[in-house]
């Protein structure tokens, strides 16, 4: 069975996708090799984490990091196969985990409220956030309305009521939430705008002639992989502090320099959206 027939029969499960010319090109790229080195370091760090079950912060932050690393590893695998949209989805998932990780690391009261807190504790966290907004406003009108409505609601405040944008503000990642997170969410929610990127359009007549069944957005993979790597680096820095693995600091700095060098030679394409 040739490569084309194999892909048509089982799609991205085809061996050609992981061993063909495109996969070989990806694996030989600077961004792929930098991500592999980062992954190896992150896995070593995770393997040497000694978790104390009675330390809730340590347990839950390490769980967040473990999930981030799993997402990162899946990004590497999917990048080999040119699965750009799937990489976008997992990068967005990594960002959401990073937002939680940073917010909980920097705000012990938020973590406690989310793990074992009751309605009153969660309301107290939201009131504190509202007071901060009155001093230094960063939320949109609709976000302020949502926050105020939740605080004033007679209903119980569920953990889901502490929305991602609130945790992004607490983590100092609100700008990342408003830009990258929203853009990547188009692939997560399969918006019409996102789906249109997979249409085959005749350049002369501008008419639709088919649907793409394989990746044709390969130019985005390098920037997506490096973005995901940046998120993982931020997670590693928190875990090193949490578990006091100072012996890995030099190794992390070397990988960060490697990633920075690759970024400098990466052309970031304008999104099709």
């Amino acid at each position: 069975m040739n490569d084309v027939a194999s892909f048509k029969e089982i799609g991205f499960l085809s061996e050609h996708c992981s061993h063909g010319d495109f996969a070989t090109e990806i694996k030989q790229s600077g961004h792929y090799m930098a991500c592999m080195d980062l992954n190896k370091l992150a896995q070593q760090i995770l393997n040497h984490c000694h978790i104390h079950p009675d330390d809730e912060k340590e347990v839950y932050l390490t769980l967040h990091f473990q999930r981030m690393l799993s997402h990162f590893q899946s990004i590497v695998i999917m990048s080999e196969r040119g699965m750009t949209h799937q990489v976008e989805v997992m990068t967005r998932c990594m960002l959401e985990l990073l937002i939680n990780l940073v917010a909980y690391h920097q705000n012990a009261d938020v973590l406690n409220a989310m793990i074992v807190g009751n309605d009153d504790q969660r309301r107290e966290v939201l009131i504190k956030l509202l007071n901060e907004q009155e001093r230094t406003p960063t939320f949109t009108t609709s976000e302020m309305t949502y926050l105020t409505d939740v605080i004033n609601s007679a209903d119980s405040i569920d953990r889901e009521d502490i929305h991602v944008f609130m945790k992004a503000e607490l983590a100092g990642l609100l700008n990342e939430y408003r830009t990258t997170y929203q853009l990547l969410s188009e692939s997560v929610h399969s918006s019409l705008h996102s789906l249109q990127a997979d249409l085959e359009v005749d350049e002369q007549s501008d008419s639709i002639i088919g649907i793409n069944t394989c990746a044709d957005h390969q130019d985005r993979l390098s920037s997506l992989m490096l973005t995901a790597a940046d998120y993982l680096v931020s997670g590693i820095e928190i875990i090193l502090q949490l578990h006091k693995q100072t012996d890995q600091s030099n190794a992390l700095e070397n990988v960060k320099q490697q990633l920075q060098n690759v970024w400098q030679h990466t052309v970031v394409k304008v999104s099709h959206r």
Side-chain angles (χ1 to χ4, degrees):
M1 181 182 295
N2 61 37
D3 294 336
V4 175
S6 174
F7 183 84
K8 286 184 177 179
E9 184 173 316
I10 56 175
F12 285 112
L13 296 179
S14 167
E15 287 295 312
H16 172 65
C17 287
S18 57
H19 302 292
D21 292 341
F22 176 73
T24 300
E25 182 180 345
I26 286 289
K27 291 176 182 178
Q28 293 176 347
S29 66
H31 60 270
Y32 180 91
M33 290 187 283
C35 286
M36 287 298 289
D37 288 344
L38 175 63
N39 172 69
K40 183 177 180 179
L41 175 62
Q43 190 67 56
Q44 289 175 347
I45 290 170
L46 181 63
N47 291 343
H48 287 86
C49 288
H50 299 289
I51 301 176
H52 304 88
D54 58 341
D55 188 332
E56 291 177 338
K57 178 178 181 180
E58 188 178 77
V59 170
Y60 282 95
L61 294 194
T62 306
L63 283 172
H64 274 76
F65 177 71
Q66 185 275 332
R67 185 68 61 85
M68 283 186 71
L69 180 55
S70 295
H71 289 346
F72 184 76
Q73 291 172 346
S74 69
I75 284 171
V76 172
I77 293 171
M78 290 186 292
S79 294
E80 296 173 5
R81 297 171 178 264
M83 301 173 70
T84 311
H85 294 314
Q86 291 75 15
V87 172
E88 289 177 331
V89 171
M90 298 313 297
T91 304
R92 190 262 206 180
C93 291
M94 279 193 72
L95 177 53
E96 185 163 350
L97 282 165
L98 178 62
I99 288 171
N100 288 344
L101 182 63
V102 177
Y104 297 154
H105 177 61
Q106 296 180 351
N107 303 273
D109 56 338
V110 178
L111 180 62
N112 291 334
M114 295 294 283
I115 297 175
V116 297
N118 54 31
D119 297 338
D120 290 336
Q121 287 173 289
R122 287 191 281 274
R123 182 171 277 105
E124 185 177 333
V125 165
L126 296 182
I127 291 174
K128 179 180 176 182
L129 183 59
L130 179 63
N131 292 336
E132 288 293 331
Q133 284 297 306
E134 291 175 350
R135 286 190 290 269
T136 310
T138 57
F139 289 163
T140 64
T141 301
S142 60
E143 288 168 347
M144 282 296 293
T145 299
Y146 177 86
L147 174 58
T148 304
D149 288 347
V150 171
I151 292 173
N152 295 332
S153 173
D155 300 329
S156 298
I157 295 181
D158 189 77
R159 290 172 177 83
E160 297 302 319
D161 289 328
I162 302 182
H163 196 271
V164 179
F165 76 85
M166 302 177 189
K167 288 180 281 189
E169 168 65 13
L170 292 168
L173 292 168
L174 192 58
N175 183 63
E176 194 77 13
Y177 168 79
R178 297 207 192 286
T179 54
T180 308
Y181 185 89
Q182 300 301 330
L183 180 63
L184 296 176
S185 293
E186 292 197 15
S187 285
V188 173
H189 301 302
S190 298
S191 68
L192 288 177
H193 199 190
S194 173
L195 293 172
Q196 287 171 350
D198 289 326
L199 292 176
E200 292 184 8
V201 179
D202 184 272
E203 293 182 0
Q204 295 182 342
S205 64
D206 204 32
S207 59
I208 298 173
I209 58 176
I211 297 175
N212 292 319
T213 55
C214 60
D216 69 339
H217 317 116
Q218 298 169 2
D219 55 356
R220 296 201 68 221
L221 280 173
S222 58
S223 57
L224 283 167
M225 290 183 73
L226 290 172
T227 297
D230 286 345
Y231 296 157
L232 186 59
V233 165
S234 297
I236 288 175
E237 290 174 336
I238 290 176
I239 292 301
L240 291 183
Q241 294 177 33
L242 188 69
H243 290 276
K244 299 179 174 59
Q245 294 188 33
T246 55
D247 56 319
Q248 295 285 11
S249 297
N250 288 337
L252 177 59
E253 288 303 314
N254 290 337
V255 175
K256 284 170 65 176
Q257 185 61 54
Q258 185 181 358
L259 289 166
Q260 183 178 342
N261 292 339
V262 177
W263 261 124
Q264 290 175 348
H265 294 90
T266 299
V267 178
V268 179
K269 301 293 185 179
V270 177
S271 172
H272 63 274
R273 301 191 185 100

